[in-house]
Amino acid sequence: DAGVIQSPRHEVTEMGQEVTLRCKPISGHNSLFWYRQTMMRGLELLIYFNNNVPIDDSGMPEDRFSAKMPNASFSTLKIQPSEPRDSAVYFCASSPRATNEKLFFGSGTQLSVL
Amino acid sequence: SQQGEEDPQALSIQEGENATMNCSYKTSINNLQWYRQNSGRGLVHLILIRSNEREKHSGRLRVTLDTSKKSSSLLITASRAADTASYFCATDVGADSWGKLQFGAGTQVVVTP
């Protein structure tokens, strides 16, 4: 299995632009998580899905952030409009069951908002 | 605030030495996990210990859990240069926390040949 696949690997954009991050979870995994990592705040859980349904989005920082999971093999995290403080590494992770056990992480998207 | 706090923040050792790092947490847990992150990469799951377990081994890794002190330790024995990475503890914080793994700030380990 190729693991969790995220794209793009790097994204540089200007303030005010829309940014879309993509994630393909491991086939057969039914839980998907979006995390953000910064030096100041560490790893923060933004939102997670179970069977394509958003379970908890309380970690999403504000309305500029939205996430979707239209099917079991694809999820997006969108920031519109982007701001410099959104600069971070965004990770997608998946898990085979609806538990808190063993997350499989993608390699992340390094986002820089200028 | 973060649920798990690792100590030390950074650790530098030589190949062959053991590396020990600690994690403290604040609320009751169902399980505690350790992950490794190599520079520029995603996190990789190392080991999970449940709240009713006190010690667990996996290869050169040994994890202990003391729920009375709300702390855990990760020991890497006979370290190798390839063990250079950041190590994070993550806690599942209870019945209403489904999916909410909370990560500590991490311990950066450097193993020199």
Side-chain angles (χ1 to χ4, degrees), chain B residues 51-102:
Chain B
S51 59
N52 61 354
E53 297 175 311
R54 291 298 168 258
E55 187 170 317
K56 205 161 184 180
H57 296 254
S58 177
R60 294 182 297 110
L61 305 179
R62 173 178 165 246
V63 170
T64 62
L65 179 64
D66 187 335
T67 53
S68 66
K69 295 181 180 178
K70 292 186 170 58
S71 68
S72 173
S73 68
L74 171 66
L75 168 67
I76 306 172
T77 60
S79 63
R80 305 167 182 169
D83 295 328
T84 294
S86 292
Y87 293 82
F88 296 86
C89 67
T91 50
D92 160 353
V93 296
D96 295 329
S97 70
W98 186 90
K100 289 186 177 180
L101 266 188
Q102 294 192 16

Side-chain angles (χ1 to χ4, degrees), chain A residues 1 3-4 24-32 50-52 69 71-74 94-98 104:
Chain A
D1 199 318
V4 176
K24 176 179 169 55
I26 293 173
S27 177
H29 285 192
N30 55 20
S31 297
L32 183 140
N50 185 41
N51 292 324
N52 313 336
M69 192 164 185
N71 56 62
S73 60
F74 184 65
S94 69
S95 177
R97 298 191 304 256
F104 293 77

Side-chain angles (χ1 to χ4, degrees), chain A residues 42-101:
Chain A
L43 269 159
E44 301 173 278
L45 176 63
L46 301 178
I47 185 171
Y48 63 94
F49 297 82
N50 185 41
N51 292 324
N52 313 336
V53 175
I55 302 298
D56 189 334
D57 65 355
S58 60
M60 297 284 261
E62 47 196 275
D63 291 346
R64 298 184 297 106
F65 286 69
S66 62
K68 294 182 180 179
M69 192 164 185
N71 56 62
S73 60
F74 184 65
S75 176
T76 60
L77 178 67
K78 185 177 292 186
I79 307 172
Q80 166 63 18
S82 59
E83 295 182 3
R85 59 189 168 129
D86 302 330
S87 297
V89 181
Y90 290 81
F91 287 103
C92 175
S94 69
S95 177
R97 298 191 304 256
T99 67
N100 293 332
E101 299 184 7

Side-chain angles (χ1 to χ4, degrees), chain A residues 9 33 35 37 41 43 45 48 50 56 91 98-103 105-107, chain B residues 2 31 33 35 37 40-43 45 48 50 88 92 97-101 103:
Chain A
R9 194 77 172 87
F33 307 81
Y35 281 87
Q37 186 177 37
R41 300 174 69 88
L43 269 159
L45 176 63
Y48 63 94
N50 185 41
D56 189 334
F91 287 103
T99 67
N100 293 332
E101 299 184 7
K102 195 170 183 178
L103 301 187
F105 281 78
S107 294
Chain B
Q2 291 175 329
N31 68 63
Q33 305 176 39
Y35 287 78
Q37 184 179 32
R41 308 294 297 177
L43 280 75
H45 182 270
L48 178 151
R50 301 187 189 282
F88 296 86
D92 160 353
S97 70
W98 186 90
K100 289 186 177 180
L101 266 188
F103 287 82

